[in-house]
């Protein structure tokens, strides 16, 4: 769990923090018929792609969209899980997914061995979990409202999501499936909190250093920067350091991680706005940091062959 996911999820080709699956029209229709008892072979729809290049023959691809706004889209011949942070190790994610699958397969086996028909067991499972299927736009404002009506989990906080691992239900699940005992599972939740806290602390201390040694001197040297921005920058660095000390003196990892998240999304964002305002006023040749223009259009600033 990394702080960046609190900003990334729900935009920038990342799915929202609501776990649902996109099946597409073809597979959804097939499964609807299956629930009714119409057991038919599934023939995925394909489309022909022609590149318009004589040396490259036309080829076929799945017609279903991968839907980048879904956390768990079906892409024609596979499912993708698209909510993992870019710096996150996928081993724990795979452990959770495989444990969920193993538990459900155990439930299927028990039901079938108990005398139920396989098709009836599968149909009942589909009916029970049908609310997780969403083939629309996961970025729409309507989807979170609809998801809550369906009873789906919505946890926007990465810290709260990590804490769910230590929920008694999950502790029992991993122990029952002989994946981890309760202490091992709880320890992993704590480790995620510690990583989150450490990342925020590094970012906060870096911000304090940049404000004190770069932004504030440049802003003070420019007559056009409003006094309230100067005051905010001066007091912000001190306030940021004070909040870090509060986090350091707390002994509960979940509480500390929650405090770190509030600091990251609150005071640090407010100081970022003040820095951005100063950047728009201070002359470019007097601004000591790379500007947005320089970062986004590096080739224009340094030359194509620089």
């Amino acid at each position: 769990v990394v702080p960046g996911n609190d900003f990334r999820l729900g935009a920038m080709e990342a799915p929202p923090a609501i776990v649902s699956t996109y099946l597409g029209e073809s597979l959804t229709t097939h499964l609807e018929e299956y629930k009714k008892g119409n057991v038919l072979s599934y023939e995925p729809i394909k489309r022909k792609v022609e590149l318009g290049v004589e040396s490259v023959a036309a080829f076929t691809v799945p017609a279903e969209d991968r839907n980048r706004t879904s956390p768990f889209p079906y892409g024609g011949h596979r499912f993708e899980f698209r909510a993992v942070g870019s710096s996150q190790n996928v081993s724990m994610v795979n452990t959770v997914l495989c444990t969920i699958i193993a538990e459900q397969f155990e439930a299927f086996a028990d039901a079938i061995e108990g005398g139920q028909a396989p098709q009836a067991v599968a149909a009942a499972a589909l009916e029970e979990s049908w609310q997780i299927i969403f083939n629309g736009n996961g970025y729409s404002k309507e989807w979170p409202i609809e998801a809550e009506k369906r009873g789906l989990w919505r946890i926007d906080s990465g810290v709260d999501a990590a804490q769910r691992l230590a929920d008694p239900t999950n502790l029992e699940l991993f122990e029952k499936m002989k994946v981890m005992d309760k202490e091992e599972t709880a320890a992993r939740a704590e480790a995620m909190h510690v990583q989150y806290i450490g990342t925020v602390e590094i970012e906060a201390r870096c911000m304090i250093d940049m404000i004190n040694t770069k932004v504030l001197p440049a802003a003070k040297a420019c007559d056009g920067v409003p006094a309230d921005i100067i005051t905010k920058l001066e007091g912000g660095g001190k306030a940021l350091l004070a909040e870090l000390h509060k986090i350091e003196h707390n002994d509960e990892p979940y509480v500390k991680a929650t405090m770190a998240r509030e600091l990251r999304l609150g005071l640090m964002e407010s100081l970022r706005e003040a820095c951005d305002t100063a950047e728009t006023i201070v002359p470019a040749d007097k601004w000591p940091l790379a500007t947005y223009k320089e970062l986004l259009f590096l080739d224009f600033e340094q030359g194509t062959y620089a």
Side-chain angles (χ1 to χ4, degrees):
V1 176
V2 290
N5 250 16
D6 284 334
F7 294 90
R8 187 182 72 97
L9 292 181
M12 297 169 283
E13 290 202 0
I18 303 169
V19 177
S20 64
T21 184
Y22 168 90
L23 299 182
E25 182 179 351
S26 177
L27 186 56
T28 301
T29 301
H30 173 77
L31 293 178
E32 284 177 336
E33 291 299 316
Y34 188 90
K35 284 197 302 176
K36 299 174 184 177
N38 300 324
V39 182
L40 306 171
S41 61
Y42 175 60
E43 297 293 340
I45 300 173
K46 296 184 177 181
R47 60 187 176 89
K48 189 175 182 181
V49 176
E50 295 184 5
L51 299 180
V53 180
E54 292 183 0
S55 58
V56 179
F59 55 93
T60 58
V61 297
E64 300 292 3
D65 181 19
R66 290 172 60 199
N67 195 333
R68 297 175 184 273
T69 73
S70 173
F72 235 129
Y74 176 68
H77 59 278
R78 70 190 185 286
F79 282 91
E80 299 177 355
F81 185 58
R82 301 181 52 82
V84 182
S86 60
S87 62
Q88 188 175 354
N89 191 309
V90 299
S91 60
M92 188 59 191
V93 176
N94 286 332
T95 298
V96 172
L97 293 176
C98 290
T99 302
I100 294 170
I101 294 170
E103 184 200 31
Q104 194 58 56
F105 277 4
E106 182 182 56
F108 288 160
D110 290 344
I112 294 170
E113 290 172 1
Q116 296 186 46
Q119 191 278 333
V121 173
L126 285 171
E127 185 64 37
E128 182 182 3
S129 57
W130 197 256
Q131 71 272 18
I132 69 167
I133 299 173
F134 179 65
N135 293 331
N137 179 9
Y139 291 170
S140 68
K141 296 180 180 179
E142 295 76 18
W143 171 229
I145 299 172
E146 172 63 23
E148 290 183 6
K149 290 180 180 178
R150 295 187 185 191
L152 300 183
W153 283 101
R154 179 186 176 184
I155 305 177
D156 295 328
S157 164
V159 173
D160 290 342
Q163 185 62 19
R164 288 297 304 176
L165 189 63
D167 183 84
T169 302
N170 295 324
L171 295 178
E172 293 171 6
L173 168 64
F174 287 107
E175 188 165 65
K176 181 184 76 170
M177 301 308 297
K178 296 181 173 54
V179 177
M180 297 179 286
D181 61 32
K182 294 179 180 179
E183 290 74 19
E184 289 174 317
T185 306
R188 279 162 174 75
E190 182 174 328
M192 285 191 281
H193 291 324
V194 171
Q195 180 189 25
Y196 190 102
I197 297 162
T199 303
V200 172
E201 181 181 3
I202 291 170
E203 291 180 354
R205 291 189 179 279
C206 180
M207 177 176 246
I208 292 171
D209 182 66
M210 291 176 71
I211 289 175
N212 290 339
T213 64
K214 303 288 185 180
V215 178
L216 197 53
K220 286 183 175 181
C222 179
D223 295 334
V225 178
D228 62 319
I229 296 296
I230 301 292
T231 301
K232 188 174 183 178
L233 290 171
E234 288 178 330
K238 297 176 182 177
L240 199 53
L241 189 59
E243 291 299 317
L244 284 175
H245 288 324
K246 289 181 182 178
I247 295 173
E248 291 170 357
H249 287 90
N250 194 292
D251 296 326
E252 175 56 42
Y254 174 50
V255 176
K256 292 178 69 170
T258 301
M259 294 171 65
R261 182 177 188 272
E262 292 172 352
L263 177 65
R264 182 68 181 80
L265 298 178
L267 180 57
M268 290 180 69
E269 280 296 287
S270 176
L271 287 174
R272 169 64 181 272
E273 292 175 2
C275 292
D276 288 348
T277 300
E279 180 182 333
T280 63
I281 299 172
V282 176
D285 61 335
K286 303 296 182 182
W287 187 250
L289 301 169
T291 64
Y292 282 124
K293 180 182 177 183
E294 290 169 338
L295 291 171
L296 295 173
F297 304 102
L298 188 62
D299 55 335
F300 287 95
E301 294 298 320
Q302 296 185 350
T304 306
Y305 302 102

